[in-house]
Amino acid sequence: MTSRWKALLVTLVLSLACAGGAGAAEPMVRGTGDLGIVIERAAGTVLVVDTTARAILSRVEGLGDLSHASAVFSRDERYAYVFGRDGGLTKVDILSGKVVKRVVQSGNSIGGAISQDGRLVAVSNYKPGGVKIFDAGTLDLVADIPADYGAGDPSKVVGLVDAPGHKFVFSLWDGGEIWMVDMTDPNSPVTTKFEDIGIQPYDALISGDGRYYIAGLFGEDGMALLDLWHPEAGVKRVLDGYGRGEQKLPVYKMPHLEGWAIADGHAFVPAVGRHEVLVISLGTWQEVARIPVHGQPVFVMARPDGRQVWVNFALPANDTVQVIDVPSRRIVKTLTPGKGVLHMEFTPRGEEVWVSVRDRDKIIVYDTARIEPVTELPADKPSGIFFTARAHRIGL
Amino acid sequence: MTSRWKALLVTLVLSLACAGGAGAAEPMVRGTGDLGIVIERAAGTVLVVDTTARAILSRVEGLGDLSHASAVFSRDERYAYVFGRDGGLTKVDILSGKVVKRVVQSGNSIGGAISQDGRLVAVSNYKPGGVKIFDAGTLDLVADIPADYGAGDPSKVVGLVDAPGHKFVFSLWDGGEIWMVDMTDPNSPVTTKFEDIGIQPYDALISGDGRYYIAGLFGEDGMALLDLWHPEAGVKRVLDGYGRGEQKLPVYKMPHLEGWAIADGHAFVPAVGRHEVLVISLGTWQEVARIPVHGQPVFVMARPDGRQVWVNFALPANDTVQVIDVPSRRIVKTLTPGKGVLHMEFTPRGEEVWVSVRDRDKIIVYDTARIEPVTELPADKPSGIFFTARAHRIGL
């Protein structure tokens, strides 16, 4: 079936689903804790999904270029904020399946975050560089932070995350700096700058407790670590061997750092350019093991209970997913969902995982105890999958 | 103001709130991620609350004896399941503020849990002993597990929690056993029994990742630890000094084990009968420090980012809350909300905490960064506070 036919099929299913009840224009009366969205990257649309019924509830159109899109959720879990590659920030009401508001806030953006209290949404930009911060209710601009680092243009900004204390933390690609912005008073952002943290930070992550901010470096090996419990100690260099310098194979895709899995006191980390998952001891930041895998890992994600780690891969191995058993550090299952496995999202308590398979125009849902497929859902070139439970998590 | 007047005030506020919109009979159209309930123990009612607006949305009546009540939430975060002392299991629709269904399933119950997939609700009972498991949709009985241990009557059951793999785990007060029930097939529960785990387990907890089940013992010192990743290794004894045997002071109230805080690689644990919080190293289960506090601790709860631990106390110190800074292990603030501080609940990402103050008939909301009160809400003898984000967490 072509992707156009699949899209039509989704539309048909949605029409039938709505025939017996309120139309898509009327918001649903229901809880929102088991909802989520799936990015349809080519069509510029998102699907609203229900993880209890394993069903598609609506398709929302008109979100622009979603080729590298991500999303965060309002603290009431009703609204998704979708960050598009074209600088678009779109607020979607998942109960009505409609766009509430859309602003094109830059020429090219790379991701965003929502503040601890849910009142502010921040977007990190490439063109022009810098960070813009919006009121989560109205999408009115609250703060514009150009990321000037002493050279001409503002720096491209990457690795933007939220942190406890109403903070946003991000890295300056051109500037080689990490900035921490305290938005406790939205009218008076307080910015703390950490300079000379390394060459070309390209992405970053924050640990699930919001304590450790870790930026990957494109221009050199090693990573930059900021302990937010002790910012006065400054940025330290860790994992000196980590980066492109250790590659033995061509790097088809830089791994996503967001995908670091924290489980059993260790971080499970995608190696760069190697067919390995690295196991890093938390606190000492020393590598303690390497697990051979099927290809170059992209996302390395822990099941919410930390007992399993699921891994997808760059081309030419992007048809495969492997499951690592954490205590034994062994691969217990190799799945082949199909070409173009782009993302995975666990249900909040981890009993199932949704996997997007772009080239087969489908989402496959797996039971994680048996590691077997449960059902499939049609989707038009699906990429990122984001469930509302992220609203309650730090750094997501 | 008397508690009756406070109750009238809440009713008045609710009437005004509803005057401009739909009545309480009509369910609200809204997200449910920022909602919760507050138990009003004397009146047998619960308040539905909104943590974004810091407001009371409705009062639900007719829940029976709530003198030792707790609650869990459906995975869509629309329904609360309230476990009453009188054996009542009540399903509340928090969008409409109404009781959907109520069953009195035993003569005396002590708590409950919801399965990983949200399809089953389990209740642990005193009279008669055992566990009953219900369909979360209909409250129809699915399984009856009498907890027979070879003596006459079924054992009283305590420390019931959910665990990954559609499991429930609980302890037999009379039998001195821990049972693990796998409900993957609801029609064929598979029970694994661990015998001779110690005398009179009185409560238990499960770690946030669902791995460690730890039961406290009333009849002897020490605790019983079951590693659910390695059930074949059986139950081990840990913390030999922990219990009533070490007491230097009369024990006014056995501390809640649910209140164990996991932060920075350590568990922060209420001492029994002492004015101390114990710091236990995870994994080795050795005590590494004791923090002197204002009274006998009852709940010792970590802010979701693990940077702070909040502690309340048994009589005669139950008017006080202390805040411990985790890295320095020092008390950074002592608050006196008033007599009868019974429970505390953090907002999902920890920026605020709600504290119930029974004898002042109010909830006080604190900002956790400044550790200052933000607002107060009237409530009739409030005890437990439960926010919907628990739906997404293991063991809550």
Side-chain angles (χ1 to χ4, degrees):
Chain A
M1 217 183 323
T2 67
S3 75
R4 184 160 297 275
W5 279 103
K6 302 250 172 134
L8 278 170
L9 181 59
V10 174
T11 305
L12 181 63
V13 169
L14 292 175
S15 304
L16 291 171
C18 293
E26 286 297 313
M28 298 174 285
V29 176
R30 59 165 294 157
T32 51
D34 57 349
L35 301 183
I37 65 168
V38 177
I39 305 289
E40 296 184 313
R41 48 183 285 135
T45 52
V46 304
L47 299 175
V48 177
V49 298
D50 171 341
T51 66
T52 302
R54 304 183 196 106
I56 296 165
L57 300 180
S58 62
R59 170 177 279 138
V60 188
E61 300 185 337
L63 282 86
D65 179 358
L66 298 183
S67 59
H68 193 280
S70 61
V72 297
F73 290 93
S74 60
R75 80 189 293 285
D76 64 357
E77 298 187 332
R78 175 170 182 174
Y79 300 99
Y81 299 91
V82 181
F83 307 102
R85 192 57 187 262
D86 57 2
L89 165 61
T90 310
K91 181 176 179 179
V92 174
D93 178 359
I94 59 176
L95 282 181
S96 67
K98 296 180 108 164
V99 171
V100 176
K101 189 151 186 185
R102 175 171 163 78
V103 295
V104 177
Q105 53 83 48
S106 81
N108 189 319
S109 70
I110 193 61
I114 188 163
S115 63
Q116 185 182 24
D117 62 5
R119 289 186 301 164
L120 300 170
V121 174
V123 190
S124 59
N125 290 315
Y126 275 8
K127 286 181 191 169
V131 169
K132 285 186 178 172
I133 301 177
F134 298 86
D135 180 289
T138 61
L139 297 195
D140 291 340
L141 186 67
V142 171
D144 187 354
I145 299 168
D148 289 318
Y149 60 100
D153 296 325
S155 177
K156 288 188 182 74
V157 168
V158 299
L160 170 65
V161 300
D162 66 274
H166 309 292
K167 293 184 179 70
F168 292 111
V169 188
F170 50 86
S171 297
L172 280 57
W173 162 271
D174 304 291
E177 300 184 1
I178 293 173
W179 288 18
M180 178 173 74
V181 178
D182 185 333
M183 295 296 294
T184 299
D185 178 356
N187 296 315
S188 301
V190 178
T191 303
T192 306
K193 301 176 184 180
F194 301 88
E195 301 179 354
D196 298 323
I197 61 100
I199 298 169
Q200 293 174 324
Y202 71 95
D203 194 6
L205 73 126
I206 190 164
S207 56
D209 59 2
R211 176 171 179 178
Y212 296 111
Y213 180 85
I214 304 165
L217 302 173
F218 194 80
E220 56 188 305
D221 285 351
M223 305 190 87
L225 171 74
L226 176 61
D227 180 351
L228 297 175
W229 288 16
H230 301 291
E232 71 286 354
V235 173
K236 286 191 297 194
R237 187 63 60 91
V238 295
L239 294 172
D240 281 338
Y242 189 81
R244 296 191 306 158
E246 74 167 31
Q247 75 186 76
K248 295 278 165 53
L249 299 161
V251 179
Y252 294 107
K253 181 173 171 57
M254 287 299 279
H256 277 268
L257 296 184
E258 182 208 328
W260 276 33
I262 308 285
D264 196 23
H266 295 85
F268 289 71
V269 179
V272 179
R274 284 170 163 277
H275 295 190
E276 290 172 343
V277 168
L278 313 182
V279 184
I280 310 289
S281 177
L282 291 184
T284 69
W285 305 102
Q286 298 294 309
E287 182 186 311
V288 296
R290 297 186 168 214
I291 303 168
V293 291
H294 179 68
Q296 294 184 9
V298 175
F299 281 105
V300 175
M301 309 189 82
R303 201 172 69 175
D305 66 342
R307 177 65 199 260
Q308 293 175 349
V309 166
W310 289 55
V311 186
N312 75 337
F313 302 99
L315 278 170
N318 76 352
D319 62 343
T320 298
V321 168
Q322 288 189 309
V323 182
I324 297 170
D325 174 64
V326 165
S328 66
R329 297 178 187 160
R330 296 171 75 112
I331 290 164
V332 290
K333 195 123 178 188
T334 297
L335 304 165
T336 48
K339 283 281 179 195
V341 172
L342 294 192
H343 200 222
M344 303 173 283
E345 178 88 337
F346 289 93
T347 55
R349 291 205 278 165
E351 73 277 14
E352 294 182 350
V353 62
W354 290 41
V355 176
S356 58
V357 192
R358 182 193 56 201
D359 297 358
R360 293 181 70 196
D361 290 302
K362 65 174 62 170
I363 303 288
I364 305 180
V365 181
Y366 291 88
D367 175 310
T368 64
R370 296 183 291 114
I371 317 182
E372 295 283 350
V374 176
T375 193
E376 297 183 2
L377 298 166
D380 183 1
K381 300 272 172 284
S383 55
I385 307 173
F386 305 93
F387 294 155
T388 54
R390 288 174 174 248
H392 299 331
R393 306 288 299 279
I394 294 163
L396 289 182
Chain B
M1 216 182 324
T2 67
S3 76
R4 183 160 298 277
W5 278 104
K6 301 250 173 138
L8 279 170
L9 182 59
V10 173
T11 306
L12 182 64
V13 168
L14 292 175
S15 304
L16 291 170
C18 294
E26 286 297 312
M28 298 174 286
V29 176
R30 58 163 296 155
T32 51
D34 57 349
L35 300 183
I37 65 168
V38 176
I39 305 289
E40 295 184 313
R41 49 183 283 134
T45 52
V46 305
L47 299 176
V48 177
V49 298
D50 171 342
T51 66
T52 302
R54 303 183 196 107
I56 296 164
L57 299 180
S58 62
R59 170 177 277 137
V60 188
E61 299 183 338
L63 282 87
D65 179 358
L66 299 183
S67 60
H68 194 281
S70 61
V72 298
F73 291 93
S74 61
R75 77 189 295 283
D76 65 357
E77 297 187 333
R78 176 171 181 173
Y79 301 99
Y81 300 90
V82 182
F83 308 102
R85 192 56 187 262
D86 56 3
L89 165 61
T90 310
K91 181 176 180 178
V92 174
D93 178 358
I94 59 176
L95 282 181
S96 67
K98 296 181 107 163
V99 170
V100 176
K101 188 151 187 185
R102 175 172 163 79
V103 295
V104 177
Q105 53 84 47
S106 81
N108 188 319
S109 69
I110 193 62
I114 186 162
S115 64
Q116 185 182 25
D117 62 5
R119 290 185 301 165
L120 300 169
V121 174
V123 190
S124 59
N125 290 315
Y126 274 7
K127 285 183 193 168
V131 168
K132 287 187 178 171
I133 301 178
F134 298 87
D135 181 290
T138 61
L139 297 194
D140 290 341
L141 186 67
V142 173
D144 187 354
I145 300 168
D148 289 318
Y149 61 100
D153 296 324
S155 177
K156 289 189 181 73
V157 169
V158 299
L160 170 65
V161 301
D162 65 275
H166 309 291
K167 293 184 178 72
F168 292 111
V169 187
F170 50 87
S171 297
L172 279 57
W173 161 271
D174 305 290
E177 301 185 359
I178 293 173
W179 288 17
M180 178 173 75
V181 178
D182 185 333
M183 294 296 293
T184 300
D185 178 355
N187 297 316
S188 301
V190 178
T191 301
T192 306
K193 301 177 184 179
F194 302 88
E195 300 177 356
D196 298 324
I197 62 100
I199 299 169
Q200 292 174 324
Y202 70 95
D203 194 7
L205 73 126
I206 190 164
S207 55
D209 60 1
R211 176 171 180 177
Y212 296 110
Y213 180 83
I214 304 164
L217 302 173
F218 194 79
E220 57 187 306
D221 286 350
M223 306 190 86
L225 170 74
L226 177 59
D227 180 352
L228 296 176
W229 288 16
H230 301 290
E232 71 285 355
V235 172
K236 286 191 297 194
R237 186 64 59 91
V238 295
L239 293 173
D240 281 338
Y242 190 81
R244 295 191 305 158
E246 72 168 32
Q247 76 187 76
K248 294 278 163 54
L249 299 162
V251 179
Y252 294 107
K253 181 172 170 60
M254 287 300 279
H256 277 267
L257 297 184
E258 182 208 328
W260 276 34
I262 309 285
D264 196 24
H266 296 85
F268 289 70
V269 179
V272 179
R274 285 171 163 275
H275 295 188
E276 290 171 343
V277 168
L278 313 181
V279 184
I280 311 289
S281 177
L282 290 184
T284 69
W285 305 102
Q286 297 296 308
E287 182 187 311
V288 296
R290 296 185 168 215
I291 302 168
V293 291
H294 178 69
Q296 294 184 8
V298 176
F299 281 106
V300 175
M301 309 190 81
R303 199 172 70 175
D305 66 342
R307 177 64 199 260
Q308 292 175 350
V309 166
W310 289 54
V311 187
N312 74 337
F313 303 98
L315 278 169
N318 76 352
D319 63 344
T320 298
V321 169
Q322 289 190 308
V323 182
I324 297 170
D325 174 66
V326 165
S328 65
R329 296 177 188 162
R330 297 171 75 112
I331 289 165
V332 290
K333 197 125 179 187
T334 298
L335 304 165
T336 49
K339 283 280 179 196
V341 172
L342 294 191
H343 200 222
M344 303 174 283
E345 179 89 338
F346 289 93
T347 55
R349 291 205 277 165
E351 74 278 12
E352 294 181 350
V353 62
W354 289 40
V355 176
S356 57
V357 192
R358 182 193 55 202
D359 297 358
R360 294 182 70 197
D361 291 302
K362 63 174 63 170
I363 303 289
I364 305 181
V365 181
Y366 292 89
D367 174 311
T368 64
R370 295 183 292 112
I371 317 182
E372 296 283 351
V374 175
T375 194
E376 297 182 3
L377 298 166
D380 184 1
K381 301 272 172 285
S383 56
I385 308 174
F386 305 93
F387 295 156
T388 54
R390 288 173 174 248
H392 298 332
R393 307 287 300 278
I394 295 162
L396 289 182

